[in-house]
Amino acid sequence: MSAGAPASPPARAASIAAAASVAAAWQAAVQNGLGRIDAQALLAHVLGLPVERARAWLLAHDTDPLPAAAAARYAELAGRRAHGEPLAYLVGEKEFFGLRLAVSPAVLVPRPDTETLVDWALELARPWPIPRLADLGTGSGAIALALRQALPAADVCAVDISEAALAVARLNGERLGLPVRWLHGSWWQAFAGQPEARFDLVVSNPPYIAEDDPHLPALRHEPRGALTAGPRGLDDLAQIVAGAPAHLEEGGWLLMEHGHEQAAAVQQLLGEAGFRSIATRHDLAGRPRCTGGRRR
Ligand code: GLN
């Protein structure tokens, strides 16, 4: 960005609240340690710009005055971002698999790593004319909605134990016009009383971080219940594997995301439960991230 801001003292001040123009707000935020992309996204957000047009607009409108209300809101959000709140919560949305999803602190922010799980699921589900799919622990609905979007004939069911998360997922389904059956419950218990609920493919990105993992403080803004699962992070993965045979068709698949050091443990869980064709796939960073198998 060019230095098109008036060189008056308030605009130059490090305080973002005092910024008089788009450029000054931008510069002050970057000086205060906010990343460029984040500063841009937050400015676009307070100005009500569509994210995809934000960069070009901001370049062209560098010297525009920043309305006081937008400047104040921007200052607040930039401060929260600097203290580690995920950008997605501050702007209220996140893109996943080409879908723009509403997110709130009730749900985990969808990660690009999870696109590995969706890619794999789509490869497996495509041959079925009407695949019956389930997403356990759906959060924002990201995986279920990505599958439903790519497979319009699929019957997709999604489960979460958190009513607040389901409200976000439902909203996303409505906004995107993607019908998914949203069910409340803990993993397979959501299907208690429905022994006929059987699927061709079940996917899950459950909590899988160990309770004492040193990375947890960095994730403090996200729901703890969506992140941790017992001393080794394996408790929920084990529950999902244990309940799967009763709800998978013969030849049906179970695919789960996990921590990059958990592939062997998840393979073992699947093997002990009688799954075959057990395999692991890697995320964009090349780390083992998803493991799955097929019901005999
Ligand atoms: N992938 C997330 C992280 O490590 C954790 C998600 C999860 O526990 N399912 O930040």
Side-chain angles (χ1 to χ4, degrees):
M1 295 229 159
S2 65
S8 59
R12 288 270 173 219
S15 155
I16 303 165
S21 73
V22 168
W26 162 267
Q27 285 162 5
V30 173
Q31 276 163 21
N32 285 357
L34 197 69
R36 251 166 193 282
I37 304 282
D38 286 1
Q40 207 165 56
L42 291 179
L43 257 179
H45 177 66
V46 299
L47 291 169
L49 300 171
V51 279
E52 60 278 359
R53 294 220 324 267
R55 198 180 136 71
W57 190 93
L58 289 169
L59 286 170
H61 295 256
D62 211 15
T63 54
D64 280 18
L66 191 61
R73 180 85 181 122
Y74 178 65
E76 187 219 324
L77 295 178
R80 285 165 59 187
R81 182 69 196 111
H83 284 95
E85 274 188 63
L87 180 68
Y89 291 158
L90 299 175
V91 302
E93 63 181 36
K94 174 79 185 178
E95 194 187 297
F96 178 79
F97 219 81
L99 300 176
R100 190 177 300 171
L101 299 169
V103 294
S104 80
V107 301
L108 196 76
V109 177
R111 313 284 206 262
D113 287 346
T114 303
E115 297 193 351
T116 301
L117 186 67
V118 176
D119 282 329
W120 193 4
L122 288 177
E123 263 172 55
L124 294 172
R126 281 216 161 90
W128 270 290
I130 306 178
R132 278 163 307 162
L133 314 179
D135 172 18
L136 302 185
T138 196
S140 63
I143 300 173
L145 292 166
L147 294 176
R148 186 62 185 67
Q149 158 94 350
L151 303 167
D155 179 30
V156 183
C157 206
V159 168
D160 209 285
I161 194 169
S162 157
E163 292 277 18
L166 279 179
V168 174
R170 261 195 209 98
L171 171 73
N172 281 319
E174 281 162 21
R175 280 193 186 168
L176 295 165
L178 295 171
V180 166
R181 284 184 293 136
W182 307 106
L183 291 180
H184 180 238
S186 173
W187 311 127
W188 301 107
Q189 281 171 28
F191 304 105
Q194 297 182 54
E196 74 291 353
R198 283 181 171 265
F199 303 96
D200 301 311
L201 172 70
V202 174
V203 291
S204 183
N205 173 18
Y208 52 68
I209 299 177
E211 266 155 8
D212 61 352
D213 190 289
H215 298 104
L216 282 171
L219 302 173
R220 68 191 178 281
H221 295 283
E222 294 184 88
R224 183 55 76 103
L227 290 167
T228 61
R232 297 173 59 213
L234 291 168
D235 288 10
D236 293 295
L237 287 157
Q239 279 193 52
I240 292 165
V241 172
H247 289 285
L248 278 177
E249 293 290 359
E250 228 178 287
W253 288 87
L254 171 63
L255 308 182
M256 292 160 292
E257 181 174 315
H258 52 69
H260 62 97
E261 287 163 341
Q262 293 171 326
V266 177
Q267 290 199 3
Q268 188 179 342
L269 287 169
L270 286 166
E272 286 166 3
F275 281 79
R276 62 189 166 85
S277 309
I278 296 167
T280 292
R281 292 225 177 163
H282 293 68
D283 62 20
L284 298 166
R287 290 167 306 205
R289 183 59 68 190
C290 299
T291 294
R294 192 163 204 200
R295 204 202 128 193
R296 264 187 236 283

